[in-house]
Amino acid sequence: MTPSIAGRLAKLNPRQQEAVRAIDGPCLVLAGAGSGKTSVITTKIAYLVQECGMSARRIAAVTFTNKAAREMKERVGKMLQGRQGHGLTVSTFHTLGLNIIRGELKTLGYKPGFSLFDPEDAKALLRDLMNKDAQVDAEAINQVQGIISNWKNDLVLPGQALSHAGSEDELFAARVYEAYVRHLKAYNAVDFDDLILLPVTLLRDDPEALARWRRKIHYMLVDEYQDTNVSQYQLVRLLMAERQTFTVVGDDDQSIYAWRGARPENLVTLGEDFPRLNVIKLEQNYRSTGTILRAANTLISNNPHVYEKTLWSEMGQGEAIRVVVNRHEEAEAERVASEILTRRIKERAEWRDFAVLYRGNFQARLLELKLQHYQIPYKLSGGTSFFSRNEIKDAMAYLRLLINPADDNAFLRIVNVPRREIGPTTLEKLANYATERGGSLFAACQEMGLAEQLPTRAVERLGRFTHFIEGVRRRMDGGDAIAAIREMLREMDYEAWLYQNASAPTIAERRMANVWTLVDQLEKSMQADPEDNTASTDTETDDVEAAISRLVLRDILEQQAEEDDSDRVQLLTMHASKGLEFPHVYLMGLEEELLPHRNAIEVGTVEEERRLAYVGITRARRTLTLTLARQRKAYGELMDCTPSRFLDELPEDALEWEGRADREDPEKKQARGQDAIAGLRSLLG
């Protein structure tokens, strides 16, 4: 054994070492919260290459987020030096699917340079298709989009959806699905769900393609396996069925994404499809105190399990879990904010040591006001990126088309924004014509032969659009590019379009302000040299492309900066907290109809809500505080709240109650008051 591998294995516990060495068949690593699963995956990749002599290019490790893939890649990069890691695939499921599509373009019937529709692009196409039949609202479009996404994740193709439709609504959705798939293909485009659906159907139906990819991938590692949906599991099964050399790492107790199609029952299916499955449990937790783990174990034991496991720790028992009952939601937010301030002073903690978790984003509103009142810096996770707003994507598509008329995706996004009565049937025929001619959609609009494919009115409308864009391009070439862009936005009356489609005038006003902010930023980016920040006298059209690229890059960097470790209190939903850990955690809103959520109670999915509470509890390293309110405002009225059933499922001797006369220790109550006063005096002093 190489010294480096021997050293790494020595740092792992016996169960982790067993998981690394299990390479001869299918392996399920049941990894509890905080049990070091990433260390197992990354060490196993190094073990396969350095100890077993497997080429890194034959290994694929997949997970669900770019952040997780990036972290895994960085850790493996430190272990595999030089060319040892050359060709290794560490990516998300969707990136792996995209690579398969790129490698099989001809087999799948796509041209090079195909477009990837994001959910908003897809929604715009669905809106056009559905508005052909009748005026439909945003909710109906979202509903159909969700149904189509579920069908794709469950590997249901349009023909199957049509034949199995059990109601008028399903039949309507199936017809839209059929047209949607046809239009995407004509546009040489795929959507996000296609990145898994297309590779799975290809590998399932084409033995030669399956053999090619089985030759390429000899070993697979799958992280967060409990979050896989039907199509993702089938992708793994198809690639690995022959060799049966894979490791999946997951925890059924942390499966909290059923609403996104995740199937924790894939753990059962795995054992059925691979009877030789080796199950290894990682139960030692390196994160939390014994008391926190005992509470988590006791809570989750109320759910049925395929594989039993019990987390344990060598971190000591630690403090009791505090349950704080407040008069109402404002008192709850006040209590959390003031306590964070006091504890920071008393314990000399960092702001980043504190996290407040909640079931729904609306719970953060009052808390934000209280934190601002106490001048406590905080970071609210889950905000909308500037560049992901619809109006900014529209404006960016115009800018992209101005600098590159061959950008088909940009063309499709804005050819009918604002509305120019250019429908999906026209665009489908245009796309087919452009494919035959081997050119872009924009170029095809200007060809004489298009008149043989489309009615005269459709050709005229397309011609007016391309003539408009060419006119703006000429004005940009002839002088002030920014002035030409501002004039374009006014000329097409984009602001009126926003007002027509907004639910309120103030929203339209804010969206238009965002567009002008983008143009201002573009102007600043053109006038400043990115290397030395000194002013430049050049504002020629050539600079626009570079300036737009810098704006997109800035957005990417800003999104990465959101993952930084700046010293702020973290506010986030329990769903968003998965994979994170904090010394001090506050879990807000432990009430019936909030946690568990009312919808879950009504449809009978309380087990998933229990897993969500389990995830929240296991984020805490040293202290955990659960808060609830006796009354909460709903529809303008104060409503009485019932404590969450999950509180009754926690071990009573692990809890310390506050604000509840029948369970509270008077001496501890007095001591807390004195602590709070002392902390505030220290702050003022």
Side-chain angles (χ1 to χ4, degrees):
M1 189 179 294
T2 61
S4 58
I5 280 293
R8 289 192 190 98
L9 282 172
K11 292 176 184 174
L12 303 180
N13 67 41
R15 292 285 78 74
Q16 291 173 326
Q17 291 178 15
E18 184 186 351
V20 168
R21 289 192 172 105
I23 58 165
D24 295 328
C27 179
L28 164 62
V29 180
L30 208 63
S35 61
K37 67 182 176 68
T38 307
S39 294
V40 168
I41 294 171
T42 51
T43 305
K44 190 158 192 170
I45 293 169
Y47 183 82
L48 285 165
V49 174
Q50 295 175 338
E51 189 61 26
C52 306
M54 186 176 287
S55 168
R57 68 173 63 253
R58 301 292 179 222
I59 301 170
V62 290
T63 186
F64 281 85
T65 67
N66 287 321
K67 183 184 176 185
R70 194 164 56 242
E71 182 190 339
M72 203 184 292
K73 198 176 287 184
E74 285 169 3
R75 287 170 72 165
V76 173
K78 290 172 184 173
M79 297 182 190
L80 300 179
Q81 301 298 322
R83 294 187 61 80
Q84 277 188 333
H86 190 68
L88 173 71
T89 297
V90 180
S91 72
T92 62
F93 263 106
H94 290 90
T95 303
L96 175 64
L98 184 62
N99 291 340
I100 293 174
I101 292 170
R102 282 180 176 146
E104 300 288 344
L105 275 183
K106 196 171 179 183
T107 317
L108 287 164
Y110 288 87
K111 296 181 294 183
F114 65 92
S115 298
L116 174 59
F117 272 36
D118 68 16
E120 290 305 322
D121 295 328
K123 192 172 288 179
L125 173 55
L126 287 170
R127 185 185 298 115
D128 287 342
L129 292 170
M130 290 169 71
N131 275 325
K132 277 170 44 179
D133 297 321
Q135 281 297 113
V136 291
D137 58 19
E139 192 176 337
I141 295 165
N142 289 337
Q143 189 176 2
V144 169
Q145 188 172 26
I147 292 169
I148 290 173
S149 180
N150 289 337
W151 275 331
K152 289 192 173 191
N153 288 333
D154 289 342
L155 301 175
V156 176
L157 300 177
Q160 295 166 287
L162 278 166
S163 62
H164 289 83
S167 66
E168 280 299 317
D169 286 347
E170 276 189 23
L171 188 61
F172 174 69
R175 285 181 181 137
V176 174
Y177 180 24
E178 186 180 45
Y180 173 72
V181 168
R182 198 178 68 244
H183 280 77
L184 277 181
K185 194 68 186 282
Y187 297 166
N188 195 39
V190 298
D191 68 14
F192 194 65
D193 296 317
D194 285 332
L195 297 181
I196 309 294
L197 173 70
L198 291 174
V200 170
T201 50
L202 172 73
L203 299 179
R204 185 188 65 192
D205 302 337
D206 188 330
E208 289 182 10
L210 179 60
R212 277 196 296 275
W213 285 92
R214 282 179 174 174
R215 284 195 296 271
K216 288 183 182 188
I217 301 175
H218 291 187
Y219 202 99
M220 276 191 87
L221 301 102
V222 182
D223 190 17
E224 304 288 6
Y225 175 75
Q226 76 282 345
D227 293 338
T228 53
N229 59 31
V230 169
S231 57
Q232 287 158 343
Y233 172 63
Q234 288 303 323
L235 182 61
V236 175
R237 191 186 68 78
L238 284 161
L239 290 169
M240 291 292 106
E242 189 175 54
R243 284 191 177 82
Q244 300 200 13
T245 46
F246 63 83
T247 297
V248 302
V249 182
D251 180 5
D252 51 344
D253 291 334
Q254 295 188 74
S255 182
I256 56 173
Y257 296 117
W259 50 277
R260 240 166 37 189
R263 299 286 181 94
E265 54 268 33
N266 282 348
L267 286 161
V268 182
T269 311
L270 191 70
E272 293 168 352
D273 287 347
F274 298 92
R276 293 196 302 126
L277 185 68
N278 180 10
V279 180
I280 300 167
K281 299 178 186 179
L282 303 185
E283 296 173 294
Q284 182 174 358
N285 174 285
Y286 293 91
R287 175 188 299 162
S288 307
T289 65
T291 300
I292 290 168
L293 293 180
R294 188 157 61 91
N297 288 331
T298 308
L299 174 72
I300 207 65
S301 67
N302 290 279
N303 272 6
H305 286 83
V306 182
Y307 304 106
E308 296 291 339
K309 70 176 186 310
T310 304
L311 295 181
W312 60 276
S313 163
E314 293 179 343
M315 313 276 285
Q317 286 309 300
E319 297 180 24
I321 295 168
R322 294 163 59 244
V323 185
V324 182
V325 185
N326 303 275
R327 290 193 315 281
H328 43 64
E329 59 195 320
E330 189 168 345
E332 179 188 41
E334 171 76 30
R335 177 65 182 269
V336 171
S338 61
E339 197 169 288
I340 288 173
L341 181 64
T342 306
R343 290 181 79 159
R344 179 181 186 258
I345 296 160
K346 186 182 172 189
E347 300 180 22
R348 300 185 184 279
E350 304 283 341
W351 293 120
R352 67 169 70 89
D353 292 343
F354 298 91
V356 186
L357 313 183
Y358 34 78
R359 179 64 178 81
N361 277 309
F362 72 91
Q363 290 171 262
R365 290 173 199 153
L366 270 175
L367 183 61
E368 282 192 83
L369 294 173
K370 299 298 180 186
L371 293 172
Q372 289 166 8
H373 174 72
Y374 285 113
Q375 298 185 328
I376 296 173
Y378 65 89
K379 175 193 164 189
L380 185 67
S381 295
T384 307
S385 158
F386 181 71
F387 280 73
S388 68
R389 299 173 192 276
N390 270 339
E391 65 272 16
I392 299 304
K393 291 173 82 168
D394 287 346
M396 286 297 291
Y398 270 101
L399 296 175
R400 280 163 42 208
L401 198 63
L402 286 169
I403 61 173
N404 176 21
D407 189 331
D408 283 352
N409 208 11
F411 178 97
L412 287 167
R413 180 171 183 93
I414 46 91
V415 67
N416 214 26
V417 175
R419 207 159 191 80
R420 298 182 175 93
E421 295 183 12
I422 299 169
T425 305
T426 297
L427 291 173
E428 184 182 11
K429 289 178 179 174
L430 172 67
N432 288 331
Y433 177 74
T435 301
E436 287 170 18
R437 300 289 294 160
S440 69
L441 298 174
F442 192 92
C445 292
Q446 299 168 312
E447 290 201 7
M448 301 285 288
L450 187 61
E452 295 172 18
Q453 309 293 323
L454 288 172
T456 305
R457 286 178 66 189
V459 174
E460 285 173 358
R461 285 169 186 154
L462 289 168
R464 278 199 296 274
F465 172 68
T466 54
H467 180 72
F468 171 65
I469 295 295
E470 287 290 7
V472 178
R473 281 166 57 80
R474 280 194 298 275
R475 291 200 294 274
M476 287 170 69
D477 287 338
D480 188 339
I482 293 296
I485 290 166
R486 290 184 191 279
E487 192 180 338
M488 172 189 74
L489 289 164
R490 292 192 186 98
E491 221 174 286
M492 67 189 191
D493 207 358
Y494 184 72
E495 188 168 8
W497 160 257
L498 289 177
Y499 274 94
Q500 283 168 21
N501 289 278
S503 55
T506 51
I507 292 173
E509 196 177 323
R510 191 162 63 243
R511 286 176 179 167
M512 195 64 215
N514 287 337
V515 173
W516 293 129
T517 300
L518 176 73
V519 178
D520 291 343
Q521 289 299 314
L522 182 63
E523 187 170 26
K524 287 175 188 171
S525 187
M526 287 175 65
Q527 291 173 344
D529 186 319
E531 297 300 324
D532 63 9
N533 291 323
T534 56
S536 166
T537 54
D538 287 333
T539 55
E540 296 175 2
T541 315
D542 292 346
D543 293 339
V544 177
E545 185 169 359
I548 291 169
S549 301
R550 284 203 292 275
L551 278 180
V552 174
L553 178 61
R554 183 187 302 176
D555 177 57
I556 293 166
L557 293 174
E558 279 174 3
Q559 286 184 54
Q560 289 176 354
E562 284 177 9
E563 297 167 3
D564 68 5
D565 197 26
S566 57
D567 193 20
R568 294 181 283 173
V569 174
Q570 305 291 301
L571 312 185
L572 62 172
T573 64
M574 278 177 267
H575 281 102
S577 74
K578 190 162 169 290
L580 305 176
E581 57 182 75
F582 309 92
H584 308 289
V585 168
Y586 289 81
L587 228 59
M588 289 177 69
L590 266 289
E591 299 146 31
E592 287 290 294
E593 301 198 355
L594 199 49
L595 184 69
H597 196 273
R598 181 194 305 160
N599 293 347
I601 295 169
E602 288 173 356
V603 301
T605 55
V606 171
E607 285 174 15
E608 174 140 342
E609 294 291 295
R610 190 175 285 111
R611 292 196 291 267
L612 193 57
Y614 174 87
V615 165
I617 289 169
T618 53
R619 299 312 95 196
R621 287 179 9 211
R622 284 175 44 208
T623 72
L624 175 64
T625 304
L626 313 176
T627 70
L628 62 151
R630 288 199 185 92
Q631 290 186 311
R632 202 172 285 276
K633 197 169 279 187
Y635 312 111
E637 290 182 38
L638 272 177
M639 311 287 283
D640 291 335
C641 304
T642 306
S644 169
R645 68 188 72 185
F646 299 151
L647 291 170
D648 293 329
E649 295 175 0
L650 297 174
E652 198 170 328
D653 60 339
L655 306 181
E656 190 177 278
W657 288 78
E658 299 173 21
R660 186 167 161 174
D662 61 329
R663 298 200 187 183
E664 190 165 11
D665 184 331
E667 289 182 13
K668 286 185 177 177
K669 183 178 180 181
Q670 188 177 358
R672 276 197 311 276
Q674 289 169 349
D675 274 352
I677 292 165
L680 290 169
R681 277 183 184 147
S682 169
L683 178 70
L684 295 168

